[in-house]
Amino acid sequence: MIDINDFVGRRSELELLDNLWQSARASFLILYGRRRVGKTRLLTHWLRQDQDRGLYWVAEPTSSLEQLRSFSQALYNFSTPDTSAPNDYTFSTWEQAFRELAKIASTRRIALFIDEVTYLMDVNPTFIGVLQKTWDQWLSKSNLMLALCGSQMGMMQKQILAYDAPLYGRASTHIQLPPMPFWTTHEFFPNYSPADRVAVHAIWGGIPAYWERLQADKSFWENVRLQLLPSNMWMMDEPSFLLKDFVNDPYNYVSILRALAHGATTTSRISTRTGLTRGHISSYLGTLRETGFVVRQVPVTELESVSRRGRYYVTDPYLRFYYHSLAAYQSKLALGARGELLETIKAELPAFIEKNTWRDLCSEWMLRASAQQELPMSLEQVGGFWHGNQEIDLVGIDRINQNLYLAVCQWSDDPVNGDRLETLVRQTDLVVPDGEEDWTVYYLGFSSAGWLPDTEATIARYAQERQHGKPWHYAGIRLVDLAEVDSDLYRWGV
C-alpha cells in the first residue's frame, strides 16, 4: 500500500488505483484529462511504489508499425527483466501482443498502463476494436489491471466511453482527472499570502506542470516577470499546443477564445467581435465544448436543456488568462516590451480575479460549506444568474425545499461597504420563480479584504424591510473574507 499523503491533492485517485489493484479479478481503468494536468505523474507515482508489479508504456505520434514494435519490446523487457529485446523484436499484430500479455497475467497480478492511447487510435483506427476483442476473450479472464490514458478528451469520450464505442461497458471505472484544487497551493507555495495564491490560480490554474515552473522562494510578481522572459516563451506557445490536440486549423477557434475571454459570451456578441456567422460559431463552440475548454451555462434557476439564455465561458484558467492578457502582446514581447505588459497585467488582474477566479472559489466554498453542514439551509446547485442587463454573481438553490442563497463576490485591497449587497437584496424578486411563494432567502457577501463595520447589521435591517409583501422571507446574512475562504477550503480539502 502506498502512502497517499506523499502525493498532494490526489488522495481519492490513488485510493482508487489501490482498490483496483487489490481486486480479485481483471480490472480496467480509463483515465483522461487535459494535457499537463498530472495523469502521467499519477500513474507513474503509483507504479513506482513497486515497479515489479506493472508496466508503464507511452505511445508516441509515429507509425503503427513503430508503435507496435515499441510496445512489444517494452512487454518483452518487463516479462524477462534479465535480458533486453533485440532491436527488431516485435509481435506481428496487436492481437498477438495482447494474447501474450494475457498469458503473462495468467500467473500473477500485473498492471499495464498505456499512456497517450489516442496516438494509437490516430494511426490505427482498428486498435480499440482489437483491444475490445482481446479483452473479452483473454484479458478479462486474466489477473490484469489495465489502464488507458489520454489527453484528447473528445476522442476519449467518443471512441472509448460513448455508448456505441467498442469498449463501452468494459471499464471498471473511468476518471476525468481534474486540475489540482486551490487548497493544494498551501503545499506548493507555503510562503505566499492567500491573495498571491489566488493570483497563481487565476493565471496558471491548477495545473501542476505549470506550478513546477515557478520558484516558490520568489515573489508572485517576480515569477510572472521570469515567465515572460524570452527563455520562457512556453507561456506564449502553450495555447496553440493545447488546441492542436483537437483541431487542425485553429485560427477561428483562437478568435472565438479571445472574444470569450474579453466578455463576448453569446453567439451574437461573438459574431460581432469576430466577424464569423452564427452558424459557424455554433459549430466551433461545439468543438470547444468537447475539449472541455469552453462551457455553456444558463441562469442557475433554469434548465440547461431548455433555456435560451445560455452564455459561453472559457473554463481553463490559463487559456482564459492568455487570451485576455497575453495574446495581443506577442509582437511587443518579441521587441522586449515586457515591462509594459507586466504593468498592464498588474492593473487588470484584480478585476480579472473578481470576475473569474474569486467567483469560482466562492462557489466552491458554498458547495463545500453546505456539504459540511456549515450553512443554515440546504442547497443543491450553485451558479450565476442574469436577467436582461441585471446580473447576480452567485445563486445557490434547493428547489425542493425552496431555499435560495444570493451572493456577491468582491475583490479589493481594502474592506468594502454594503452597496452591492443592497443591490443584491433589491434583485431578490428577479430570482424567485414566477408564481411561487414561501422561498427562504439567505445572503452571502464575499470580500477578499473584508467588510466595513456595521455592514452586516445594515443589510439585515434592509432585507427585513424589503421582505414584506414578497413571495420570500429573509433568513439571514453572512459576510466572508478571503482568509476564511482560504482556511475553510484547506480544512475541508486535506
Side-chain angles (χ1 to χ4, degrees), residues 207-227:
I207 306 303
Y210 297 166
W211 293 359
E212 290 171 356
R213 291 179 176 270
L214 309 180
Q215 301 179 49
D217 60 337
K218 297 186 181 298
S219 72
F220 166 76
W221 286 112
E222 177 64 8
N223 268 309
V224 175
R225 187 189 70 82
L226 290 172
Q227 298 309 313

Side-chain angles (χ1 to χ4, degrees), residues 329-338:
Y329 276 84
Q330 291 195 63
S331 58
K332 288 189 175 182
L333 278 178
L335 298 175
R338 288 178 298 279

Side-chain angles (χ1 to χ4, degrees), residues 271-484:
S271 178
T272 299
R273 187 177 179 94
T274 64
L276 298 170
T277 65
R278 293 193 187 185
H280 285 126
I281 290 170
S282 296
S283 176
Y284 293 133
L285 286 171
T287 300
L288 288 171
R289 291 174 69 186
E290 289 179 0
T291 68
F293 297 148
V294 169
V295 66
R296 179 181 184 265
Q297 297 180 353
V298 301
V300 71
T301 55
E302 300 181 8
L303 297 177
E304 200 275 337
S305 58
V306 298
S307 176
R308 300 173 61 88
R309 293 196 288 161
R311 292 180 177 181
Y312 296 89
Y313 299 93
V314 181
T315 56
D316 186 90
Y318 182 67
L319 288 180
R320 185 168 58 203
F321 173 77
Y322 171 83
Y323 287 112
H324 180 272
S325 301
L326 298 185
Y329 276 84
Q330 291 195 63
S331 58
K332 288 189 175 182
L333 278 178
L335 298 175
R338 288 178 298 279
E340 177 185 346
L341 174 57
L342 195 61
E343 291 305 312
T344 300
I345 294 173
K346 286 182 178 180
E348 295 179 350
L349 192 60
F352 181 82
I353 289 175
E354 178 175 281
K355 183 179 179 181
N356 299 291
T357 314
W358 181 228
R359 195 176 296 187
D360 290 343
L361 293 177
C362 295
S363 175
E364 180 182 353
W365 184 92
M366 290 173 65
L367 289 168
R368 291 189 179 276
S370 175
Q372 297 290 327
Q373 297 184 331
E374 295 189 20
L375 286 177
M377 311 184 310
S378 60
L379 67 83
E380 297 174 337
Q381 186 181 2
V382 176
F385 177 89
W386 52 93
H387 182 84
N389 61 355
Q390 298 197 62
E391 184 170 349
I392 296 175
D393 292 340
L394 292 174
V395 172
I397 187 170
D398 178 349
R399 293 177 177 83
I400 295 177
N401 295 300
Q402 297 194 176
N403 295 332
L404 283 174
Y405 287 88
L406 276 58
V408 296
C409 308
Q410 298 178 251
W411 187 268
S412 64
D413 293 331
D414 301 307
V416 297
N417 60 30
D419 288 351
R420 283 184 56 184
L421 282 169
E422 283 194 10
T423 301
L424 182 68
V425 174
R426 291 194 296 271
Q427 292 173 316
T428 303
D429 295 345
L430 293 174
V431 186
V432 175
D434 292 337
E436 296 188 24
E437 297 183 356
D438 298 325
W439 283 79
T440 304
V441 179
Y442 191 94
Y443 299 96
L444 290 167
F446 296 95
S447 169
S448 55
W451 301 84
L452 292 175
D454 298 326
T455 297
E456 182 173 330
T458 300
I459 300 303
R461 287 194 298 270
Y462 185 66
Q464 289 167 349
E465 294 169 358
R466 293 279 301 184
Q467 69 179 339
H468 296 300
K470 305 290 186 180
W472 55 269
H473 62 274
Y474 168 75
I477 182 173
R478 180 172 174 180
L479 304 183
V480 186
D481 61 15
L482 172 58
E484 185 174 357

